[in-house]
Amino acid sequence: MKEPNRVPIIRVWNLLLVPVQGELGDTQAEDLKRDVLGAIHTGNVEGLVLDVTGLWLIDSHLCAVLTRLAQAASLMGTRTIVCGMSAEIALTIQTMGLELGAVQTALSLEQAFERFGVRAPEGEEEDRPVLESDLASSVAKGESQ
Amino acid sequence: MSSAYDQLLSLLRRYISQINAQNILARAIREVGIEKHQVSEAHLGELASKLEPSLRLFLRPAALASLQSELGSIGRPSAPLESISLAIKQEADIATARAQARDMCEKLGARRMTIQKLATVVSELARNIYMYSHGGTLEIHHAASPTSSLTVRAVDSGPGITNLDDIMKGNYKSRTGLGAGIRGTKRLCERFDIKTSPAGTTVEAEVAV
Ligand SMILES: Nc1ncnc2c1ncn2[C@@H]1O[C@H](COP(=O)(O)OP(=O)(O)OP(=O)(O)O)[C@@H](O)[C@H]1O
Ligand SMILES: [Mg+2]
């Protein structure tokens, strides 16, 4: 049986999406690494997306956990992108001078998927309902493009 | 903070994601037979027991216990938190220390960036105590004057740090982590003092509010 607070690993076509959340202790970090590498080993995995939206704090230990996971995935031929980092976390990591190593980052989950070549379906732009967040971001961009 | 509902939600949010927190809380409130806006401190006990089964799905026992103890202290008239002292022995104590640091900041109305800095400093120092000594204590003090600031004091009686110079210069390669915890912590602080000897290590780190 699956332990209740094991981090889920979601397969989306040939990508693995891992919504990292909760308190990631040493045991959870080990489990996560084993589960992810196990999933990669079963084959047909082109990319790993670590979504950290659910984390409110990333310290150097957690950076090391994520970096090592990405390194191990890379040894198995799978590229990793971390997405969903809050501005506060990003600033803290930068101030501390922490190195995320070879791990790439993307702002949003959609951007992470796009980096792996997943595109929104044709017509998506016109057809889908306009979300409040879209309005907010176009205001923030000043609708320049 | 405005209401018992907000307090509950912000407490849950520190342990689980926003969306899960809202769903679980909405369900518990329904089960108690009240509406969101009616939630008051009188319902906390009943809500806590309705929340438990759902929380079990998301949290390890240690985290669940720490959440429950925090639930118990909601609504109790608390003196303005001037200081906190915590024993650091097990890994779960690190999460508790972080959560308490965040609480203290919120009570002081600190900015989000300040919360992030303080909680990160606490996390780094608590983890070092847990990993490299046989346990120690972590204190957080608030001083209102001359300027508002928070001081973290981490004390342990472990074997001490032998190569502090290299660590501070970034010339140290850690076997266990990035080896950037202490150096990075110093960069987050207004003031950072570390005293270490074979009898133990004491770190004092001050973050402006
Ligand atoms: N309280 C302590 N008692 C004894 N040794 C310590 C203590 N704190 C740190 N050390 C030693 O100093 C080294 C550097 O600590 P630092 O926190 O900077 O990096 P780290 O813990 O190795 O990695 P991380 O980047 O995950 O924090 C540790 O590897 C450890 O050997
Ligand atoms: Mg450390």
Side-chain angles (χ1 to χ4, degrees):
Chain A
M1 208 182 78
K2 246 187 156 191
E3 274 169 60
N5 64 317
R6 211 127 167 167
V7 178
I9 298 174
I10 304 160
R11 188 180 258 275
V12 188
W13 296 295
N14 51 5
L15 301 178
L16 290 183
L17 167 61
V18 181
V20 188
Q21 52 178 292
E23 294 292 348
L24 214 58
D26 287 337
T27 328
Q28 285 75 33
E30 276 309 307
D31 288 347
L32 175 65
K33 189 163 155 183
R34 205 183 39 237
D35 292 351
V36 168
L37 297 183
I40 293 175
H41 188 76
T42 57
N44 197 23
V45 175
E46 300 226 321
L48 172 62
V49 178
L50 302 175
D51 185 344
V52 298
T53 310
L55 297 177
W56 70 274
L57 188 150
I58 298 184
D59 60 6
S60 67
H61 179 256
L62 201 46
C63 271
V65 167
L66 298 178
T67 312
R68 285 200 190 118
L69 178 56
Q71 276 167 352
S74 157
L75 285 175
M76 296 175 76
T78 300
R79 186 157 64 106
T80 301
I81 295 183
V82 172
C83 69
M85 204 180 276
S86 73
E88 287 84 13
I89 293 181
L91 272 170
T92 305
I93 288 181
Q94 191 188 39
T95 308
M96 291 180 78
L98 300 182
E99 304 280 344
L100 272 172
V103 186
Q104 297 176 41
T105 53
L107 191 58
S108 66
L109 184 56
E110 282 163 353
Q111 285 180 12
F113 274 26
E114 280 172 11
R115 298 259 192 96
F116 284 118
V118 179
R119 292 269 176 276
E122 285 292 319
E124 169 85 345
E125 293 306 321
E126 301 101 70
D127 292 350
R128 72 181 172 142
V130 179
L131 303 173
E132 230 176 288
S133 57
D134 293 341
L135 292 176
S137 70
S138 55
V139 169
K141 281 185 226 145
E143 280 292 34
S144 50
Q145 65 284 49
Chain B
M1 230 167 277
S2 59
S3 71
Y5 175 84
D6 290 339
Q7 288 187 46
L8 269 171
L9 190 61
S10 84
L11 169 59
L12 293 177
R13 278 243 29 212
R14 292 207 318 269
Y15 289 84
I16 56 183
S17 68
Q18 169 94 16
I19 191 112
N20 286 332
Q22 281 170 338
N23 288 340
I24 289 182
L25 191 52
R27 186 178 162 160
I29 290 172
R30 230 182 300 126
E31 284 176 0
V32 171
I34 51 173
E35 300 278 337
K36 194 162 130 180
H37 65 269
Q38 296 174 313
V39 175
S40 77
E41 272 136 30
H43 300 114
L44 287 172
E46 209 179 339
L47 278 171
S49 62
K50 300 283 185 207
L51 283 167
E52 190 185 323
S54 321
L55 287 171
R56 275 190 194 288
L57 300 174
F58 293 93
L59 297 172
R60 281 176 292 137
L64 184 64
S66 131
L67 194 161
Q68 281 169 330
S69 90
E70 286 198 68
L71 265 175
S73 60
I74 288 188
R76 274 201 215 129
S78 56
L81 269 181
E82 295 294 305
S83 60
I84 292 173
S85 176
L86 292 162
I88 307 294
K89 281 207 179 60
Q90 313 156 18
E91 198 184 25
D93 296 334
I94 304 170
T96 308
R98 280 204 292 252
Q100 300 242 8
R102 183 169 163 164
D103 258 11
M104 194 161 170
C105 285
E106 280 175 350
K107 287 195 177 118
L108 291 168
R111 288 173 308 135
R112 287 172 61 157
M113 200 57 224
T114 307
I115 301 180
Q116 200 71 33
K117 274 189 196 169
L118 185 81
T120 306
V121 168
V122 163
S123 188
E124 296 292 349
L125 299 180
R127 183 166 284 277
N128 280 356
I129 293 180
Y130 162 70
M131 285 178 67
Y132 311 117
S133 78
H134 336 278
T137 52
L138 193 135
E139 295 165 18
I140 311 173
H141 300 281
H142 174 240
S145 64
T147 54
S148 186
S149 70
L150 288 156
T151 302
V152 182
R153 219 176 113 84
V155 183
D156 69 61
S157 50
I161 307 170
T162 46
N163 44 353
L164 191 59
D165 279 353
D166 281 342
I167 291 170
M168 287 328 243
K169 287 193 196 117
N171 295 334
Y172 169 75
K173 197 135 176 35
S174 172
R175 276 182 302 123
T176 41
L178 295 178
I182 297 179
R183 202 161 109 97
T185 301
K186 182 173 181 186
R187 294 183 178 174
L188 291 175
C189 295
E190 300 291 305
R191 189 173 63 79
F192 183 90
D193 293 318
I194 179 163
K195 291 189 180 63
T196 185
S197 77
T201 303
T202 298
V203 180
E204 243 183 64
E206 184 184 313
V207 174
V209 179

